[in-house]
């Protein structure tokens, strides 16, 4: 993957390499903002902040957030319905979540809203593919609102798609 600057676009002598040039532009501007995960465990880093994190597998995924730094942002999207837990957790107990998500049933035509615990102690988000979300199209946005010196570090919002009797995806441990 190459990074292409705007000045190279003005060079007419490069017209014969247009296809290659366009490939480089797409690689440079689009794909750097995406991280595609595989089944298993992944620890995100500071360098992943601002990226869209794609969950393209049905198998279990455990995602650990990095040590929070004010303003870090992670956008998650599930592209394949989970058949095992897709869990996102704070790296340290007490660096939990504030906020909440809406969970919409893809089968029953109902929805519910689930807030995190107001004390910020919920350190885990678990999407199980049914009652707590994780159907294809589920989205979460997680933003560091405090640094690691305080509790309640992460704000979370999102729309999760689920089925069955909807339930909270938030817990003090993986649910």
């Amino acid at each position: 993957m190459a990074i292409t600057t705007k000045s190279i676009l003005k060079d007419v002598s490069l017209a014969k390499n247009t296809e290659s040039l366009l490939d480089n532009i797409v690689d440079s501007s689009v794909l750097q903002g995406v991280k595609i995960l595989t089944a298993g465990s992944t620890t995100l880093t500071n360098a992943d902040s601002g990226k869209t994190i794609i969950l393209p597998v049905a198998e279990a995924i455990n995602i650990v957030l990095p040590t929070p730094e004010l303003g870090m942002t992670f956008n998650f999207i599930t592209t394949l319905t989970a058949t095992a837990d897709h869990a996102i957790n704070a790296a340290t107990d007490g660096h939990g979540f504030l906020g909440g998500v809406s969970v919409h049933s893809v089968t029953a035509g109902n929805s519910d809203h689930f807030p995190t615990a107001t004390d910020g102690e919920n350190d885990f988000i678990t999407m199980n593919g049914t009652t707590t979300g994780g159907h294809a199209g589920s989205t979460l946005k997680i933003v560091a609102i405090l640094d690691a010196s305080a509790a309640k570090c992460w704000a979370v919002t999102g729309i999760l798609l689920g089925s069955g009797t909807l339930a909270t995806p938030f817990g003090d441990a993986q649910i």
Side-chain angles (χ1 to χ4, degrees), residues 86-103:
H86 287 181
I88 302 169
N89 60 287
T92 305
D93 235 7
H95 287 173
F97 299 103
L98 291 176
V101 297
S102 293
V103 183

Side-chain angles (χ1 to χ4, degrees), residues 105-111:
S105 175
V106 298
T107 57
N110 63 0
S111 62

Side-chain angles (χ1 to χ4, degrees), residues 45-153:
T45 67
N46 296 8
D48 295 321
S49 178
K51 292 184 178 179
T52 297
I53 312 297
I54 309 263
L55 311 177
V57 297
E59 297 84 9
I61 297 176
N62 184 50
I63 303 159
V64 179
L65 297 171
T67 300
E69 292 179 15
L70 186 61
M72 292 175 116
T73 303
F74 301 95
N75 297 295
F76 296 88
I77 186 163
T78 300
T79 60
L80 189 63
T81 298
T83 58
D85 289 349
H86 287 181
I88 302 169
N89 60 287
T92 305
D93 235 7
H95 287 173
F97 299 103
L98 291 176
V101 297
S102 293
V103 183
H104 300 273
S105 175
V106 298
T107 57
N110 63 0
S111 62
D112 206 344
H113 182 77
F114 296 98
T116 63
T118 57
D119 62 6
E121 292 297 315
N122 290 153
D123 298 320
F124 286 81
I125 301 169
T126 306
M127 297 179 286
N128 63 11
T130 57
T131 60
T132 62
H135 272 259
S138 293
T139 61
L140 289 170
K141 181 175 186 175
I142 299 175
V143 178
I145 55 174
L146 294 170
D147 64 22
S149 65
K152 307 176 191 178
C153 295

Side-chain angles (χ1 to χ4, degrees), residues 10 13 15 17 58 64 67 70 73 75 96 109-110 115 129 154 160 163 166 171:
K10 296 178 183 176
S13 66
N17 294 323
V64 179
T67 300
L70 186 61
T73 303
N75 297 295
N110 63 0
W154 299 102
L160 304 180
S163 59
L166 303 177

